[in-house]
């Protein structure tokens, strides 16, 4: 069974350069898909190739608009298309209330009109969840970052020992480092080049965590994403130098596809 992770978007909250809000799609030929985060710029990227139709689960690292507000148009289009398959919704505590309120604001009465069930599940730090995706069982585990709202970095364990993780927003913690230790592929928010504000990660701190003595427990690949629009040029230069000496460090771009269990990586032509 081969899974891949598609970068739907890799921008920050208010970036106008076409990167899209940071969001990832776990997909495979024979299985339904799982979406990790759904900001307001994400649904259009799913609709473009009808990728939304394979979705069976949506996970939220946290409930900021650039990670969750896209759920309103996504659910409403499912209503329009008369979807009948239920949809799993996994997020931090408060997710059900937040999504119900957002949907009610956007399209009053829509929640009751949906012709399919929403199965809400709460992700708590250090309390693993199991999720059935088609015939595959996926294990999820979260660890808190330091962010302005409750945010979990989430690790996904897939069949055949494959794994990936998504940081969401926020500075890494020792719990996050433990969570992502040895993971095949880790998508990491890197808002700043250097430490600036406690609620976002930066490249200096990340390098200190995952190089040198920590290197043995680092993720096998670290893909930087959600870079501040004011820092992207400088951070891209920093990353270009870094990846020459340590190719585990990568920089996300929209429509990159990372195959799990193999080293290959490509940019899709379907932009
Ligand atoms: Zn964000
Ligand atoms: Zn945030």
């Amino acid at each position: 069974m081969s899974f891949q992770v598609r970068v739907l978007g890799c921008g920050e909250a208010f970036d106008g350069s076409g990167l899209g809000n940071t969001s990832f799609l776990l997909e495979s030929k024979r299985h339904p898909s799982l979406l990790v985060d759904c900001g307001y710029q994400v649904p259009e990227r799913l609709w473009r190739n009808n990728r939304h139709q394979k979705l069976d689960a949506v996970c939220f690292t946290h409930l900021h608009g650039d990670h969750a507000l896209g759920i309103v148009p996504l659910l409403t289009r499912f209503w329009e298309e008369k979807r009948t398959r239920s949809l799993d919704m996994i997020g931090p505590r408060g997710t059900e209330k937040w999504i119900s309120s957002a949907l009610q604001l956007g399209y009053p009465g829509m929640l009751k009109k949906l012709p399919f069930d929403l199965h809400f599940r709460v992700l708590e730090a250090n309390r693993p969840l199991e999720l059935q995706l088609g015939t595959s069982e996926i294990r999820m585990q979260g660890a808190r970052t330091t962010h302005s709202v409750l945010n979990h970095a989430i690790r996904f364990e897939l069949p055949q020992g494959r794994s990936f993780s998504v940081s969401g927003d926020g500075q890494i913690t020792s719990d996050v480092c433990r969570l992502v230790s040895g993971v095949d592929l880790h998508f990491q928010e890197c808002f700043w080049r250097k430490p600036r504000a406690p609620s976002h990660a930066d490249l200096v701190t990340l390098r200190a965590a995952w190089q040198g003595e920590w290197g043995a427990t680092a993720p096998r690949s670290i893909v930087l994403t959600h870079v501040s629009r004011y820092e992207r040029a400088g951070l891209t230069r920093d990353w270009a130098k870094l990846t020459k000496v340590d190719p585990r460090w990568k920089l996300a771009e929209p429509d990159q596809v990372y195959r799990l269990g193999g080293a290959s990586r490509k940019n899709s032509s379907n932009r």
Side-chain angles (χ1 to χ4, degrees):
M1 184 63 54
S2 67
F3 281 98
Q4 60 185 30
V5 182
R6 178 179 299 275
V7 178
L8 289 176
C10 58
E12 41 109 310
F14 315 117
D15 194 325
S17 61
L19 297 175
N21 300 139
T22 290
S23 172
F24 307 98
L25 188 65
L26 176 69
E27 40 184 27
S28 73
K29 274 204 177 110
R30 288 199 286 136
H31 277 62
S33 307
L34 175 150
L35 179 67
V36 186
D37 283 344
C38 187
Y40 37 75
Q41 295 169 334
V42 170
E44 191 264 348
R45 287 162 190 256
L46 286 166
W47 296 331
R48 209 178 287 165
N49 296 297
N50 286 322
R51 292 205 167 93
H52 66 294
Q53 290 174 351
K54 279 191 80 180
L55 271 185
D56 265 15
V58 184
C59 305
F60 300 95
T61 56
H62 66 301
L63 300 171
H64 269 157
D66 60 313
H67 296 259
L69 266 182
I71 199 66
V72 173
L74 185 63
L75 292 178
T76 307
R77 176 150 166 176
F78 281 142
W79 164 75
E80 209 184 63
E81 292 177 344
K82 300 183 173 57
R83 178 188 172 110
T84 53
R85 244 166 47 248
S86 64
L87 189 63
D88 282 308
M89 310 278 270
I90 303 112
R93 60 179 177 271
T95 297
E96 181 170 1
K97 192 172 174 211
W98 192 97
I99 288 175
S100 304
S101 304
L103 197 56
Q104 178 63 18
L105 274 174
Y107 298 96
M110 181 52 63
L111 190 60
K112 286 196 180 126
K113 289 203 286 184
L114 293 179
F116 55 94
D117 290 330
L118 296 177
H119 291 155
F120 286 98
R121 300 178 70 186
V122 177
L123 182 71
E124 308 246 28
N126 303 317
R127 194 177 288 180
L129 274 185
E130 257 139 42
L131 178 72
Q132 198 68 34
L133 199 63
T135 54
S136 286
E137 198 160 88
I138 293 180
R139 189 171 184 269
M140 299 171 53
Q141 186 156 354
R144 283 184 75 153
T145 67
T146 304
H147 196 44
S148 52
V149 297
L150 175 62
N151 177 92
H152 292 120
I154 307 174
R155 178 170 180 146
F156 299 85
E157 296 287 341
L158 310 177
Q160 300 169 340
R162 289 161 191 173
S163 56
F164 77 102
S165 51
V166 174
S167 70
D169 287 358
Q171 186 58 283
I172 56 167
T173 59
S174 53
D175 283 350
V176 172
C177 290
R178 269 194 295 277
L179 180 80
V180 303
S181 171
V183 73
D184 292 330
L185 181 62
H186 176 56
F187 294 98
Q188 174 61 52
E189 185 237 285
C190 184
F191 201 65
W192 308 116
R193 298 171 74 186
K194 297 174 184 168
R196 279 179 64 170
S199 59
H200 283 293
D202 64 89
L203 189 56
V204 169
T205 303
L206 296 173
R207 287 183 67 168
W210 290 322
Q211 287 191 297
E213 63 181 294
W214 284 89
T217 58
R220 290 185 188 159
S221 266
I222 305 155
V223 186
L224 304 175
T225 184
H226 202 295
V227 177
S228 162
R229 62 194 182 280
Y230 301 113
E231 303 257 310
R232 190 158 176 97
L235 199 133
T236 300
R237 285 196 296 275
D238 294 347
W239 164 78
K241 280 187 218 152
L242 173 59
T243 196
K244 272 187 195 150
V245 292
D246 187 347
R248 290 176 308 163
W249 293 80
K250 306 181 191 311
L251 187 64
E253 291 171 33
D255 276 321
Q256 274 174 338
V257 173
Y258 291 87
R259 296 194 191 290
L260 290 167
S264 65
R265 168 181 167 233
K266 66 173 175 142
N267 273 329
S268 161
S269 56
N270 276 334
R271 295 194 68 135

